[in-house]
Amino acid sequence: MKAWHMFLAIGGSTTETLFGDPAGEFTKACGMEMTHPGPASVGIIGRCKRFAMHVVNNVVEYVAVSEAEDDPAGDNNPNATCAPAMIEAIKANASVKQSA
């Protein structure tokens, strides 16, 4: 994961943390294992859904999943899990919290 962090040019950053999940334990625990038969039919077993999670002080603030009935991997429309959508969701969540 350190190499991936460096490749993304965020090596010295303290705002992002990347984690690996080689055994799929976290993926299964948070319900993000892709169970659609499509990927399994071509040998892709135990794949993680395309998701983004905003976590603050060990509290999940927001989760987005890119998937559709005909696109279980979210490859055709990953927008919900891309940075612009996540930033908007985080801002909206912050506004709601301030209003409460």
Side-chain angles (χ1 to χ4, degrees):
M1 294 308 299
K2 182 178 179 183
W4 184 244
H5 209 250
M6 297 303 289
F7 174 77
L8 294 174
I10 53 176
S13 175
T14 58
T15 59
E16 304 87 15
T17 304
L18 303 177
F19 295 97
D21 186 25
E25 294 171 7
F26 178 77
T27 298
K28 292 172 188 164
C30 66
M32 292 296 162
E33 182 176 23
M34 190 182 308
T35 57
H36 189 279
S41 71
V42 293
I44 303 172
I45 311 282
R47 178 173 173 184
C48 182
K49 293 180 182 181
R50 183 184 308 267
F51 76 99
M53 185 179 288
H54 179 234
V55 182
V56 178
N57 295 325
N58 299 320
V59 175
V60 176
E61 299 282 337
Y62 181 76
V63 177
V65 181
S66 290
E67 65 181 339
E69 184 66 32
D70 62 342
D71 182 23
D75 293 334
N76 295 331
N77 186 8
N79 296 342
T81 55
C82 291
M86 288 299 293
I87 291 167
E88 288 303 313
I90 291 165
K91 286 179 180 178
N93 192 25
S95 294
V96 169
K97 283 183 167 186
Q98 288 178 351
S99 297

